[in-house]
Amino acid sequence: VQLQASGGGLVQAGDSLRLSCAASGGTFSRLMMGWFRQAPGKEREFVAAITRSGGTSYADSVKARFTISRDNAKKTADLQMNTLKPEDTAVYYCAAIPAILTTPIYKEVNDWTYWGQGTQVTVSS
């Protein structure tokens, strides 16, 4: 499975941005999809994930501001980011893991199998 993240950029605080992760290879509908981020000098952290059946989970810091979605026909997983804050500045990575319908959402970096190359999001104050 190859993942390609896109949509990053430079925005002002309060703005919105939509990231997209395109998958190729494998069977997309059998993947759990996730987004992580890594700020300078910090460890990569969980942002959001969506199960095969559409269940979602979010980090507390982005709840009510970010929304993850998936389109199995297009083989994409998007992250809609609203009301962006300077502390959201980071390189955002999409990730995937083969899953069954009952697989719980994993929030640890080491639990995820496939990674995209990352896209930079910079939020100015």
Side-chain angles (χ1 to χ4, degrees), residues 2-119:
Q2 293 79 45
L3 303 176
Q4 180 76 34
S6 62
L10 172 62
V11 297
Q12 294 185 333
D15 285 350
S16 298
L17 207 57
R18 189 176 184 90
L19 306 182
S20 186
C21 177
S24 59
T27 303
F28 184 81
S29 61
R30 296 181 180 178
L31 298 173
M32 181 183 301
M33 301 298 297
W35 285 93
F36 288 72
R37 67 186 181 187
Q38 187 167 17
K42 295 188 176 181
E43 294 187 350
R44 193 171 299 189
E45 64 177 5
F46 173 81
V47 175
I50 186 166
T51 67
R52 288 179 53 182
S53 57
T56 59
S57 180
Y58 298 91
D60 289 342
S61 60
V62 306
K63 276 182 183 176
R65 298 190 298 121
F66 291 12
T67 302
I68 188 171
S69 61
R70 65 187 296 156
D71 187 326
N72 288 344
K74 295 182 178 179
K75 300 184 180 181
T76 58
D78 290 355
L79 185 67
Q80 176 66 42
M81 306 185 294
N82 298 330
T83 319
L84 282 162
K85 304 176 181 180
E87 49 264 44
D88 294 319
T89 294
V91 176
Y92 283 71
Y93 297 89
C94 64
I97 182 172
I100 60 176
L101 290 176
T102 55
T103 300
I105 288 180
Y106 299 122
K107 299 184 179 182
E108 298 297 325
V109 170
N110 291 339
D111 289 328
W112 292 77
T113 306
Y114 305 106
W115 291 88
Q117 85 289 1
T119 184

